[in-house]
Amino acid sequence: MIKPEAVQSGYSGKIIDMIIAAGFNIKALKKTKLTKEQAGAFYAVHKERPFYGELVDYMSSGPIIAAVLEKENAVSDFRNLIGATDPSEAAEGTIRKKYAESKAKNAVHGSDSDQNAQVETEFHFTTNDIV
Ligand code: IDP
Ligand code: MG
C-alpha cells in the first residue's frame, strides 16, 4: 500500500516508478479509502501495540493505493526497496528515505511474509482483479 500521506503529497507516481524499476510486476492496483474498521482489521496483528489507535486513525484518514506485486523473493526485495520502518533509519535511495514523513507516516506498507501477502491480497482484491 501507498499510505495516505504519500498519496496526499503526490508521491504515488514516483513510488510506483521505483517499484517497477526495481523489477516488480504489478498484478493488481487500485486507489481506495479504508474505513476505520477495515484499517483496524488490516493491522489486527498490532492490536496490542501502543501505536495501534494512531495507526488505525492514520490509515483511514485518506485515500491509499493498494497493489499486488510479483517478483522472485518479492517480500524481502520489497522490504529492501522500502527501507526501515523509521525513515531516519532507512537506507539512502529507499522509498521511505525519500518519501516518508515519520515512523508512523512512513509512505508505504509491505507484507512481511508470503502467507501475509496472500491474506493482504485477498483483503483488497478478488481473483478477477489479479492479472
Ligand atoms: P513495517 O511497516 O516496517 O512492517 P511494523 O512494525 O509492522 O512496520 O509496523 C506497522 C506500521 O505501524 C508501521 O509501518 C508504522 O506506520 C506504524 N508504526 C510502527 N512503529 C510505530 C511507532 O513506534 N510509532 C508510531 N507508529 C508506528
Ligand atoms: Mg509490518
Side-chain angles (χ1 to χ4, degrees):
M1 285 189 284
I2 303 176
K3 296 185 176 184
E5 106 279 5
V7 173
Q8 171 68 28
S9 302
Y11 297 144
S12 301
K14 292 187 171 76
I15 291 171
I16 291 168
D17 257 0
M18 286 179 72
I19 291 169
I20 293 170
F24 291 86
N25 179 27
I26 297 177
K27 301 283 291 176
L29 183 71
K30 74 172 172 191
K31 188 174 184 183
T32 185
K33 188 168 183 290
L34 301 177
T35 63
K36 267 185 95 152
E37 291 66 32
Q38 286 173 317
F42 189 90
Y43 281 109
V45 292
H46 295 308
K47 249 195 330 261
E48 308 306 328
R49 309 278 286 276
F51 56 82
Y52 178 70
E54 180 194 348
L55 178 61
V56 169
D57 285 346
Y58 162 56
M59 287 302 294
S60 57
S61 67
I64 58 120
I65 291 175
V68 178
L69 306 175
E70 178 183 66
K71 190 179 187 297
E72 284 296 316
N73 303 312
V75 167
S76 59
D77 283 4
F78 194 69
R79 306 293 304 189
N80 288 336
L81 178 64
I82 68 180
T85 306
D86 186 338
S88 70
E89 292 165 11
E92 258 344 293
T94 59
I95 292 173
R96 282 170 167 166
K97 183 68 173 188
K98 283 174 181 266
Y99 299 118
E101 209 172 283
S102 64
K103 189 173 185 184
K105 299 182 175 180
N106 59 1
V108 281
H109 166 81
S111 303
D112 62 9
S113 65
D114 286 351
Q115 192 188 337
N116 279 338
Q118 186 64 37
V119 170
E120 293 176 353
T121 292
E122 288 165 16
F123 184 92
H124 287 298
F125 298 100
T126 63
T127 312
N128 286 344
D129 298 324
I130 299 163
V131 294

